[in-house]
Amino acid sequence: MDVPEPHYHAKFVFIVGGVMSGIGKGIVTVSAGRNFIERGFKVNVCKIDPYLNIDAGTMNPFEHGEVFVTDDGGELDVDFGHYTRFLQIDVKKTQNITTGQVYFEVISRERKGEYLGGTVQVIPHITDEIKRRIHEIDQETHADVLLIEIGGTVGDIESQPFLEAVRQIMRERPANETMLIMATYVPFPPHVSEPKTKPTQHAVRDLKAAGLNPSIIVARAEREIGKKAIEKIALFSGLNANAVFSLPDLNDVLEGPMFLDHQGFGDKLLEIFQETPKQSPTWESTTKLLDLINKQTETIVIGLTGKYTQLKDAYISVFEALKHAGMHEGAKVEVVYIDVEEFEKDPSAITKLQDLDGVLLPGGFGKRGVEGKIKVIEYCRENNIPFLGICLGFQLASVEFARNVCKLNGAHSTEMDPETRYPIVDLQPTQRGIKKLGGTMRLGAHDIDIYPNTLLWKLYGEKTKIRERHRHRYELNPAYTPILQDHGLVLSAKSEFYEALELPGHPFFLAVQFHPEFKSTPWNPSPPYQGLVRSALRIKLEKQEGVEAPVGTTAE
Ligand code: GLN
């Protein structure tokens, strides 16, 4: 049994949540991270999810938000998108610890007889395994500061072993090497005019019952909670008022880290660690982005065709990638959901798409809504509406083209119709025989060759080799690519599979098998998304000026 070595590389910032989930704990984690980065420290991140799933790969995006894919093929919790976008770090799948992984490991060891007849218990065996994993992440990431966010809310039954592991680590290490930030929620009930700190008091009590004291409290609220509430929270949690911060809803999440720093957040972080800044914070890279947002004079409307329309988190990386593209193209991107099933019931409703500046068809699984999605693609193709398809969007764009242009009636993906006469999209050969769903798709980053003089090649700055992330089981069937190409479809990229298609003569019609949104950051927008936004904006402006939209494969 590996007991963690006493030596740790990074100082640890634990982040826990009080009162309830969904209050923006991730923003607090990112804010702490950016404050360290601004001061010249290297940060990385670990997220603990107290659920029993081994990873987020098999979880319904409607319930839990999107599955975030890493280069190494991890299917991680949605929060990793926030971390990697705002902290500009690369993460490995091992950085997402779940209860499922920890118990799986301990029980496997028990079955191998590694506990030598001992009774296997939550303390010390589960807690030791949690500590071992944190220690391993620390050794691998080699950062100055490791941010460790504990999912869920203090007081949850599920988080108890993790809080106990945190307690032990904080006890074992010197006081200036660890800290604990508690993110809480302070409501402003509509019938009273003041913020209510009682839920935070209860949350702090729960934390103390677990043997932990907060080093810092960040109070999330609709508005600023004010000095009186800050002092009250400080009093009952045993903190100085300068360790309690107010984080209200802001115009843009990008403002959060800087907003907190103006209250002395960054200095407090360093004071606790007894560190001096390696550089003075300027917040230049953030203010540059905020300037870009302020300069957005136009708004474009992009339609998103999706099943999980009730939960923004289900497509959060796609939303963010569109936003990043908009920041760099001078246009605010408004995303509206398109209910594709409506077009299955009433095909004439499809003309609604005319009101959109562009359409994005994101990844997805299963049969529901697929015929509606195919109608959307057909309409965009025939009516010169800028279109970007991602993963399933790529596969269905191939199906649509096969059906309506190549006249292969009944063409389909075998995912939706295993008996189709024309299996345009089919299971990858390596997927045959796979029965287990967890972690078995084609996942993670793969090298892709882009063919020169294509739209994709122009978008990627004339690069012929790129690396993007994947998450799929099906592929464009190579048996059918000649017929698609003979009818004018351009296949513009390939790995061991076809990776992109485009349509010359259309203002912007691109679909990719990969998921470029996972690598988009506010500082580095993703080229396919930028292409969609640029074309949508250009066509909108041309329409406004009464000029006919030009056709061509360029995205300038
Ligand atoms: N369902 C398709 C496949 O498995 C597409 C997956 C996706 O869009 N992420 O290949």
Side-chain angles (χ1 to χ4, degrees), residues 96-113:
N96 193 182
I97 304 175
T98 70
T99 298
Q101 293 167 15
V102 172
Y103 276 78
F104 194 81
E105 178 81 35
V106 171
I107 293 169
S108 310
R109 279 199 207 123
E110 186 274 338
R111 290 291 81 187
K112 283 190 217 144

Side-chain angles (χ1 to χ4, degrees), residues 332-370:
K332 193 168 154 30
V333 182
E334 190 187 318
V335 179
V336 294
Y337 282 112
I338 306 175
D339 173 9
V340 286
E341 282 171 285
E342 187 192 351
F343 308 138
E344 294 175 0
K345 289 176 217 130
D346 173 15
S348 67
I350 197 84
T351 51
K352 276 185 185 172
L353 301 186
Q354 272 167 357
D355 301 334
L356 301 170
D357 299 310
V359 166
L360 194 141
L361 209 158
F365 297 84
K367 209 169 165 171
R368 187 157 72 84
V370 158

Side-chain angles (χ1 to χ4, degrees), residues 56-67:
T58 54
M59 291 167 91
N60 181 349
F62 176 54
E63 235 182 83
H64 203 76
E66 90 181 350
V67 175

Side-chain angles (χ1 to χ4, degrees), residues 354-387:
Q354 272 167 357
D355 301 334
L356 301 170
D357 299 310
V359 166
L360 194 141
L361 209 158
F365 297 84
K367 209 169 165 171
R368 187 157 72 84
V370 158
E371 290 305 322
K373 289 178 184 176
I374 292 174
K375 286 202 170 64
V376 170
I377 299 169
E378 181 183 7
Y379 193 84
C380 292
R381 184 177 55 74
E382 289 188 341
N383 294 280
N384 284 344
I385 297 177
F387 170 84

Side-chain angles (χ1 to χ4, degrees), residues 363-366 390-392 395 415 441 471-474 515:
F365 297 84
I390 306 288
C391 202
L392 181 66
Q395 298 172 358
E415 179 181 5
M441 279 187 251
R471 184 171 187 253
H472 64 128
R473 266 182 228 289
Y474 290 80
H515 287 271

Side-chain angles (χ1 to χ4, degrees), residues 492-519:
S492 48
K494 201 165 186 279
S495 55
E496 67 264 47
F497 305 112
Y498 285 100
E499 292 271 2
L501 64 80
E502 52 193 70
L503 212 53
H506 190 288
F508 188 89
F509 192 97
L510 174 69
V512 291
Q513 179 60 76
F514 50 90
H515 287 271
E517 62 273 15
F518 292 134
K519 282 170 72 170

Side-chain angles (χ1 to χ4, degrees), residues 50-52 99 103 122 126 150-164 206 210:
Y51 44 68
L52 278 161
T99 298
Y103 276 78
V122 173
I126 293 295
I150 322 281
T153 309
V154 171
D156 291 349
I157 292 176
E158 292 91 340
S159 22
Q160 282 178 11
F162 295 105
L163 292 181
E164 172 57 18
D206 282 342

